[in-house]
Amino acid sequence: KMERARMIFTQIFIFLLFSNTLGPFFYIFFWVLPVATVGKLFSSTRLLCEHGNPNGKPVLRTITGKTFQSNTLGMFNFNYHADHHSSIAVPCGDLPAYHEARRKNEISFSNTENFHGGYLKLLGFWFKTLPMT
């Protein structure tokens, strides 16, 4: 309940900020629509990259590489997705160290994969391997 109250308070604050400076229409145009479209695009792309697999087999993927991409699509170190699923008790701030320790000790889990190069490189690799019909 407290988290929901904080979210509502934050949205009211942002709405009032827009209303008092630009007008209430701009809250929808510059806040609600971008969150609903761009936010959904980023969320779906992240989900596809962390779980998707062209051969159809289920996978949990950790994606390392470009800092900007990791901070944009894998915020809160969520790009260490396979590591997060292998031990959900590890706090998000500790996932990079956990990932390195796991790799150093050669610990792997079934249906997990590490991809280095970032989200866009992974998507580019998939597009190159798509069948041409």
Side-chain angles (χ1 to χ4, degrees), residues 3-89:
E3 187 174 327
R4 183 176 289 158
R6 276 189 228 144
M7 184 197 64
I8 291 170
F9 175 76
T10 302
Q11 292 305 310
I12 290 171
F13 176 76
I14 293 170
F15 175 77
L16 291 174
L17 188 65
F18 271 103
S19 294
N20 289 331
T21 56
L22 300 172
F25 168 77
F26 291 97
Y27 168 76
I28 294 170
F29 191 72
F30 287 124
W31 185 255
V32 175
L33 286 176
V35 167
T37 57
V38 176
K40 179 63 175 165
L41 171 68
F42 284 171
S43 175
S44 298
T45 302
R46 181 187 58 78
L47 186 65
L48 173 69
C49 289
E50 292 167 353
H51 291 278
N53 200 354
N55 65 17
K57 295 178 183 176
V59 68
L60 296 170
R61 186 175 292 109
T62 287
I63 302 166
T64 57
K66 309 287 184 183
T67 303
F68 178 76
Q69 292 176 35
S70 296
N71 289 341
T72 304
L73 293 169
M75 65 287 277
F76 303 110
N77 290 321
F78 216 67
N79 55 306
Y80 295 98
H81 198 70
D83 302 293
H84 163 72
H85 276 277
S86 67
S87 183
I88 60 173

Side-chain angles (χ1 to χ4, degrees), residues 64-130:
T64 57
K66 309 287 184 183
T67 303
F68 178 76
Q69 292 176 35
S70 296
N71 289 341
T72 304
L73 293 169
M75 65 287 277
F76 303 110
N77 290 321
F78 216 67
N79 55 306
Y80 295 98
H81 198 70
D83 302 293
H84 163 72
H85 276 277
S86 67
S87 183
I88 60 173
V90 176
C92 65
D94 295 338
L95 284 172
Y98 176 75
H99 173 75
E100 286 305 315
R102 193 174 64 79
R103 283 180 47 117
K104 184 179 178 182
N105 295 318
E106 298 179 4
I107 299 170
S108 62
F109 301 97
S110 62
N111 298 330
T112 62
E113 180 180 298
N114 293 320
F115 184 85
H116 184 72
Y119 288 88
L120 295 179
K121 186 175 181 179
L122 176 64
L123 289 172
F125 173 73
W126 284 350
F127 281 117
K128 287 178 186 174
T129 61
L130 285 174

